[in-house]
Amino acid sequence: MSKFKVTQARPSGGKNIAEVFWEDGHVSRFHTVWLRCNCRCSVCCRTIVGQALVERSKLPCQLLVSEATIHDDGAKINFKLAPETDHVTVMTSDWLRSACYCDACIGEMLDEREMKFHLPSESQLPVVEYEQLDTDKGMFDVIGTVFDRGFVVVKNVPREDRSVVQTGKMMAPLIETIYGEMFDVVDNQSTENVTFTSIGLPFHMDQCIYEAAPGIQLLHALRFDDVVEGGNSLLVDMFHVIDILRKQSPDDFRVLSRVPVHFATIDYERQHPAHVIHRKPIISLDYDDRVVGFGWNPGLEDPLRVHEDDVEPFYRAYVKLQKLIEDPKNQLKFRLKSGDMLFFNNRRMLHSRDGYKTNGGVRHLQGCYLNSEDLRSKYMVLGRKLNRPVVAPKIGNCSSI
């Protein structure tokens, strides 16, 4: 049985648009070229992933609605489009309504995927047990928490070398970077990265030197002795602070969404020499002017090279955003314990740590990265399997869907 029913369909304008009237009062307008390219008939509708059965380059330059007929009590519509005489464009009402591209339907589609912000002062640290990952329901709930809150702390992960890798592979494919499949966060006095010292870290996104930074990061506290002083973890929801900036200072928001920064790791002296560089604005917007991504890592910024008129506006805007990031009201601060694993969205949450003193103890974390699109896919598949259907959440991968 169809969820949506069509009560009327008719040509509009110069007949290059079909108006469709729905039983619930909604009205959709579909261009003829769109209808033809998305025909659902048995010949045009793909049944195998990767098929493209409608050859758009062979369609007439202009198509007009010559006839629109409703069938199956409003569950199906057939369109005849001139000058085609040997083809009937077929649409089922449920599919057509799901693809409506009026402003209201697009807005609803995007709104239901938007991130929900949780103020640090009003929310508790999301914590789960490692054993929850052993069941489909547990895995589904844990991944859902990461997409809802931006992170979760997994307790009692086995304190064994490479447990973080094994845990990651349970959920999604790993992403290798210039630091390999896995990296050790421990004070070894390395000059490759300040992470491998005991110095405090500025808030940052990992690996924004890449065109697409790793989506998900796992950090497992293999050992975090009680005698270690400092070394606390800090998180900031960057999408939240960008939203604050947009509301408080729209001009500065626009500057940071337009003027690019050079992020780079250029080091020929490290064990595995690297030359990785990318130029992009700090804030990424999509077609609908929604924030869909960002890049932030002051420690990986090269000197600003932009048009002269943009230099001072950029630095003014940058400072305003940085002050929001550094405002304690926007930060969540906590201390990992041995066996804890921080599981977070690297393309949503900035992370940092206090400087620390070992005092004869050890602070040793192991980390790896996962593909966020694959993790979201697992979440959606598990939801369907468990009869808990969910909308694919926005995940900070420079896409609003």
Side-chain angles (χ1 to χ4, degrees):
M1 179 180 291
S2 296
K3 181 179 178 181
F4 296 100
K5 290 187 177 182
V6 175
T7 59
Q8 183 183 1
R10 69 186 184 191
S12 177
K15 294 188 176 183
N16 67 320
I17 290 177
E19 278 190 323
V20 177
F21 297 80
W22 302 89
E23 190 176 51
D24 63 0
H26 189 72
V27 179
S28 302
R29 289 167 57 84
F30 299 99
H31 291 77
T32 51
V33 63
W34 185 95
L35 290 168
R36 182 63 186 87
C37 288
N38 292 285
C39 177
R40 313 303 288 173
C41 78
S42 59
V43 174
C44 297
C45 186
R46 66 173 173 238
T47 58
I48 303 174
V49 173
Q51 281 183 315
L53 299 176
V54 178
E55 296 189 58
R56 299 180 185 182
S57 63
K58 294 183 179 180
L59 295 178
C61 294
Q62 186 177 37
L63 291 166
L64 302 177
V65 180
S66 61
E67 186 179 339
T69 56
I70 301 171
H71 301 270
D72 300 341
D73 192 28
K76 186 173 75 170
I77 320 173
N78 289 349
F79 296 95
K80 288 187 178 180
L81 307 178
E84 285 192 314
T85 58
D86 58 347
H87 184 269
V88 175
T89 295
V90 177
M91 291 288 166
T92 61
S93 60
D94 283 350
W95 185 90
L96 190 62
R97 180 61 177 269
S98 73
C100 177
Y101 54 89
C102 73
D103 288 348
C105 285
I106 289 177
E108 182 179 341
M109 174 189 70
L110 299 180
D111 286 344
E112 66 181 352
R113 289 165 165 78
E114 278 294 350
M115 297 172 178
K116 298 178 179 64
F117 303 135
H118 304 266
L119 295 177
S121 60
E122 299 176 2
S123 56
Q124 295 182 333
L125 189 73
V127 175
V128 299
E129 288 291 329
Y130 176 74
E131 62 184 14
Q132 288 183 238
L133 300 176
D134 290 336
T135 67
D136 286 344
K137 179 183 181 301
M139 180 74 77
F140 176 79
D141 290 339
V142 171
I143 297 174
T145 300
V146 172
F147 287 139
D148 174 44
R149 295 290 301 274
F151 75 104
V152 70
V153 175
V154 183
K155 307 290 287 187
N156 297 309
V157 177
R159 293 174 57 191
E160 300 171 1
D161 186 47
R162 298 182 62 83
S163 280
V164 69
V165 170
Q166 300 307 316
T167 303
K169 287 182 177 179
M170 292 165 56
M171 295 181 280
L174 268 59
I175 295 176
E176 289 199 31
T177 69
I178 57 175
Y179 296 98
E181 179 184 65
M182 186 195 78
F183 50 92
D184 288 276
V185 182
V186 65
D187 183 8
N188 59 13
Q189 301 301 310
S190 169
T191 59
E192 285 192 4
N193 194 295
V194 68
T195 300
F196 308 132
T197 70
S198 60
I199 299 171
L201 302 179
F203 282 99
H204 65 283
M205 165 198 276
D206 269 18
Q207 306 303 327
C208 55
I209 54 175
Y210 290 103
E211 180 267 333
I216 302 295
Q217 184 170 173
L218 307 180
L219 282 173
H220 177 214
L222 199 61
R223 183 175 171 184
F224 200 146
D225 295 340
D226 291 340
V227 296
V228 175
E229 181 183 351
N232 297 300
S233 298
L234 296 98
L235 294 173
V236 165
D237 188 335
M238 186 63 160
F239 273 80
H240 185 204
V241 296
I242 289 174
D243 184 62
I244 295 172
L245 179 72
R246 187 173 202 169
K247 292 172 180 175
Q248 291 183 350
S249 187
D251 290 343
D252 293 309
F253 169 86
R254 288 293 168 190
V255 168
L256 297 182
S257 68
R258 181 179 57 82
V259 180
V261 172
H262 289 208
F263 296 105
T265 293
I266 301 174
D267 186 353
Y268 291 91
E269 303 302 320
R270 65 197 306 274
Q271 182 180 0
H272 302 289
H275 188 127
V276 187
I277 189 167
H278 196 72
R279 186 178 192 240
K280 55 192 169 187
I282 286 173
I283 300 171
S284 297
L285 303 177
D286 73 349
Y287 169 80
D288 297 284
D289 203 37
R290 299 196 180 216
V291 178
V292 291
F294 69 89
W296 184 269
N297 192 326
L300 295 182
E301 290 177 20
D302 264 9
L304 187 69
R305 299 188 68 185
V306 297
H307 301 307
E308 181 178 339
D309 291 344
D310 287 326
V311 174
E312 291 184 348
F314 171 83
Y315 281 116
R316 283 196 298 268
Y318 186 101
V319 168
K320 288 184 180 180
L321 180 57
Q322 189 165 31
K323 285 182 177 180
L324 289 172
I325 293 169
E326 294 175 351
D327 187 338
K329 295 194 300 291
N330 297 323
Q331 300 175 4
L332 190 65
K333 185 174 182 177
F334 54 96
R335 182 183 176 95
L336 294 174
K337 296 182 179 180
S338 295
D340 288 353
M341 186 182 73
L342 179 58
F343 175 10
F344 68 99
N345 185 343
N346 181 56
R347 296 172 83 170
R348 174 176 177 175
M349 309 298 291
L350 299 181
H351 63 291
S352 174
R353 71 150 187 253
D354 291 336
Y356 64 91
K357 296 179 181 179
T358 57
N359 296 323
V362 173
R363 183 187 188 274
H364 182 188
L365 277 58
Q366 289 187 327
C368 66
Y369 304 110
L370 309 181
N371 184 297
S372 55
E373 285 85 0
D374 285 318
L375 187 69
R376 182 173 60 178
S377 175
K378 186 177 186 69
Y379 177 62
M380 301 304 294
V381 170
L382 285 174
R384 184 183 182 92
K385 180 179 180 181
L386 297 167
N387 197 27
R388 292 172 62 181
V390 288
V391 175
K394 181 175 173 180
I395 57 176
N397 63 341
C398 291
S399 171
S400 55
I401 61 172

